Every structure is written in structure tokens, then in C-alpha cells.
Amino acid sequence: MRKIQIVTLFPEMFKGVLESSMLFKAAKNEIVSYEIINLRKFGKGLRKRVDDTPYGGGDGMLLMVEPLVKAIELAKANDPSAVVILPTPRGEDFKQAAANALAQADHGLILLSPRYEGYDERVTNWVDYQYCIGPYVLTGGELPAMVMIDAIVRLLPGVLGGANSASDESFQGGDEAEYPQYTRPDEFRGLPVPPVLLSGNHRQIAEWRAKHKR
Ligand code: ADE
């Protein structure tokens, strides 16, 4: 079973995603286990403070290095071989190849989800991978962490069911059909399904799909 630990100030953000659909089923079927680590627990002082102002000035607050490192140390104590992933707009682009590699690996994952205007850069000494999920800036690392978890977990053998396995095409390419698809009814408000798809002619269907690949 793959262990995925998530360090966050907002555990509730993960609920809807980890407790629905395929990600939930993967956990129920013991293909994966999720553990949320509340960063607040490692905050400093009575108020459990996790952020402070940036040295050198500038707007906003940064996550302090100590709470992050303590949370990582707890996650590593739970799972010593796990790798640590930091979502950041300054990271390497998170591509399907990275999802494939992380799905095929035999170690656990620890995902950080930084908040506020950023984090103390020294935390990167405890980080194995830094990934950016796209050319836009989000308010925090929670959504990127969820995107990466979704992309990885769907590739684990047994999660998508049917023919999914380490050797089949969806594992390697990891994507949905690249051609347009249709289901019943064969006409909706004057919009027909391309007749070739109803023809039962497998060669012509394959040709049509090849021609319409995105
Ligand atoms: N944090 C904020 N924006 C992000 C992005 N696009 N990718 C990863 N982490 C982020």
C-alpha cells in the first residue's frame, strides 16, 4: 500500500477530494493510504504561530522553516523512505512523466502545501522535488498537492479497474482517450453522433479516431 502524507494548515480542503470517487475507492481498497498532518500542531508558542514577516522587507507573511521541518520529520518518522514534494510556482513543471515515475516508485510521498505569500527557502533542504502544476499562481499549495495526488493515484495498479495495470497503455501514457467520444443518445437536439461510430466497422472507427486525435 502506498502511503501519502500531506502537511497542511487546511486539512478540510482535502476532505472532498480524498473522500470521493476514485481517490476514496483507492484508499478503501487499500491501494493507498492518506494521512493529513496539521502544520498548526508544530506552530510556535501559545498561539501556534507558523508564519512571520520576510527578512529584507516585502509584503505578506512567510511560513517559518521550523514548523515545516518538524512536520516533515514526523512524516519521515512514520515512513522513513518517503520523498518530500513541495508545490511551488518556481518548481519544475509537473508532467505526466513525473506522475508515472512517482506512481511506479516503491516509496511513500510527503506533500507539503505552503500558504500565505511563501515559505522560508531553507525548507528546500528537506525537499526532494519541487513542482509547478501550471503557469499561474494559486493562493496555496493545497490544490497543486491535490492535483498531483490525483494524477499519481489514478496510475496505481488497480485504481481505475478493468484492464489498468503496470503494462497497459493508460499507465504509460496516463491519459484519457485523445479522440472525441460520444454516448447515447445518437442524436441530441439535432446534434448527431458521427455515423461511422455507429457503423460497427472497427477499421473505419479506428481510422476516424486516428484522424481526430488531439
Ligand atoms: N503554488 C502557487 N501556485 C502554484 C503552482 N502553479 N504550482 C505549484 N504550486 C503553486
Side-chain angles (χ1 to χ4, degrees), residues 22 95-101 103-104 150-179 181 213:
M22 302 309 294
K95 295 197 176 140
Q96 190 61 45
N100 286 338
Q104 279 171 299
D150 189 287
I152 294 162
V153 169
R154 70 180 283 283
L155 296 173
L156 299 176
V159 171
L160 294 186
N164 187 50
S165 76
S167 61
D168 96 348
E169 196 196 336
S170 71
F171 192 91
Q172 300 303 328
D175 226 329
E176 291 192 1
E178 292 166 316
Y179 43 79
Q181 298 189 96
K213 253 187 159 170

Side-chain angles (χ1 to χ4, degrees), residues 86-90 114 131-141 144 148:
L86 174 71
T88 164
R90 288 185 282 118
Y131 285 122
C132 171
I133 65 155
Y136 35 76
V137 179
L138 302 164
T139 59
M148 290 189 273

Side-chain angles (χ1 to χ4, degrees), residues 10-21:
F10 295 94
E12 67 279 9
M13 283 183 75
F14 288 84
K15 284 213 150 179
V17 170
L18 300 182
E19 292 178 9
S20 313
S21 190

Side-chain angles (χ1 to χ4, degrees), residues 12 22 56 63 79 86 90 113 121 127 130 141 167 172 198 200:
E12 67 279 9
M22 302 309 294
L63 286 177
D79 186 5
L86 174 71
R90 288 185 282 118
S113 20
E121 188 70 19
V127 165
Q130 299 182 44
S167 61
Q172 300 303 328
L198 310 177

